[in-house]
Amino acid sequence: MTVLGAVFLPQLPPERLRAVATAADAAGLQELWLWEDCFEQGALAGAAAALAWTERLHVGIGVMPAPLRNTALLAMELATLHRMFPGRVHAGVGHGVQEWMGQVGARVGSPLTLLREHVQALRALLRGEEVSTDGRYVRLDRVKLAWPPQAPVAVHAAGQGPRTLRLCGEVADGTVLVADLGPADVARSRALVEEGRAAAGTGAPHRVTAYLLAATGPGAEERLAASRRDWGIDPASGAGVAGDAHAVADAVARWAAAGADAVVLQPTADEPDPEGFVRFAAEEVRPLLG
C-alpha cells in the first residue's frame, strides 16, 4: 500500500503544530512532514516536539538546506532523534533555495558538489563510521558519532532538475520531489532517479516521496486554483487535486502509479482547518487506497 502523509505548512504558527500532530496521531495518519523554509521554522525543533507529543506518528523533514547545516552537527541531531524515536524519523536534505542561501551568506558555487559530499558523509556518520574527508565543502577529520542510530536509517535528498535527481538516486536512500509536479512529471523524475541508481550499481531500496497539492471542502476548487497561481503551476500539468476523499484518493493512486512510493498531501496555504485536513487524509482518503 502507498504510504500516505500530510504536510504541516510552515506558514502556520509553530504553536499550532501540537494540535495538528496529535490530531494526526489520533486519526492514524502514517506520516506528518515539516519543511525548513527560510525564514519560518526550524524543522529539527519541530520534529523533536511532534515526535514527543505523539505515539505512532512518523515525522518527516522534507527538506533541510544542506548549505545551512554542518554535516557533523546534522548527523548528531538526526542520530539523537533516531535513538529517541526509532523507526519514526524520515529526514532529507537539498540544495536550498539559492536566493535564501545568498541572504544568509551560505550560497555555494556548486550546489551539486555540496549535496554529494554532504549526503555521502552524513550517511557514513549515521552508519557509525569514522569519517575523514577533505572535499570542496565538507571537511571532516576523524569524526565519529558516540551515539549513532541503533539500526540502519535512510537519508533522503531532494531534487528537481535532471542532474540533481540522478544524484539523488546515486548517493541517497530516497528522493523527495517538489509539489508542482503532475503524474507525468513524477514518472520522468522517477526515471532520472533510476538512472542514478543504475550508474551507482546499487540494488538497495530507494523510496520516492512526492507531494500532492490538495484541497477539499467548501471552496476547494477556488483554493486550489489560487495555490497554483501562487506557485506558478500550469493547470495543464495535472499538478494538484480538489474534491472529496474519492477524488483525492484517485489522485494519490495516479501519483503512485507514476512512481511515488509515498504521497504527502499538501494543503493550500489558506486551508481553514489544518487539524481537520490531517484527519481527512487518515480517516477518509487512506481507507480508499489499495
Side-chain angles (χ1 to χ4, degrees):
M1 179 184 287
T2 305
V3 174
L4 184 67
V7 181
F8 176 84
L9 293 176
Q11 288 81 11
L12 293 170
E15 58 270 23
R16 190 78 177 266
L17 176 59
R18 183 169 191 163
V20 174
T22 54
D25 196 42
L29 186 69
Q30 292 167 287
E31 297 181 356
L32 183 68
W33 281 70
L34 309 176
W35 292 351
E36 190 163 75
D37 283 1
C38 298
F39 302 95
E40 290 172 336
Q41 298 182 32
L44 286 168
L51 288 161
W53 288 325
T54 58
E55 297 293 333
R56 299 170 297 171
L57 184 69
H58 288 214
V59 175
I61 303 174
V63 292
M64 295 170 283
L68 285 181
R69 295 288 184 180
N70 175 275
T71 309
L73 180 58
L74 182 56
M76 292 164 57
E77 297 278 16
L78 290 178
T80 300
L81 286 181
H82 280 290
R83 288 187 72 103
M84 292 193 297
F85 309 101
R88 295 176 56 203
V89 183
H90 307 279
V93 293
H95 294 315
V97 176
Q98 295 306 294
E99 180 182 353
W100 293 341
M101 298 304 97
Q103 284 182 264
V104 297
R107 188 166 185 166
V108 298
S110 177
L112 276 170
T113 300
L114 170 58
L115 189 61
R116 175 184 295 276
E117 293 178 357
H118 187 87
V119 171
Q120 289 176 329
L122 181 61
R123 291 179 72 209
L125 288 168
L126 291 172
R127 289 193 298 265
E129 299 174 14
E130 180 177 284
V131 179
S132 293
T133 183
D134 187 22
R136 180 174 175 182
Y137 300 109
V138 178
R139 299 180 179 91
L140 301 172
D141 180 16
R142 297 166 296 158
V143 175
K144 184 176 182 179
L145 297 178
W147 299 102
Q150 295 173 298
V153 300
V155 173
H156 303 260
Q160 186 170 13
R163 290 192 299 166
T164 304
L165 287 166
R166 292 189 187 99
L167 179 64
C168 291
E170 180 184 348
V171 303
D173 301 298
T175 299
V176 180
L177 304 179
V178 295
D180 58 353
L181 305 181
D185 302 310
V186 171
R188 283 190 290 269
S189 298
R190 178 88 206 204
L192 290 164
V193 169
E194 294 302 323
E195 288 179 15
R197 295 182 70 219
T202 178
H206 188 102
R207 170 175 146 164
V208 171
T209 301
Y211 291 108
L212 170 57
L213 183 62
T216 191
E221 292 283 357
E222 292 77 10
R223 288 188 286 112
L224 176 63
S227 288
R228 282 172 170 161
R229 289 193 296 272
D230 292 343
W231 280 70
I233 298 173
D234 181 358
S237 69
V241 60
D244 62 10
H246 288 276
V248 175
D250 287 346
V252 171
R254 293 195 299 274
W255 264 243
D261 302 299
V263 178
V264 181
L265 301 181
Q266 176 187 325
T268 60
D270 59 352
E271 165 59 49
D273 183 8
E275 293 85 0
F277 185 85
V278 297
R279 287 192 289 265
F280 165 78
E283 297 174 348
E284 298 185 46
V285 177
R286 187 184 178 197
L288 299 175
L289 303 178

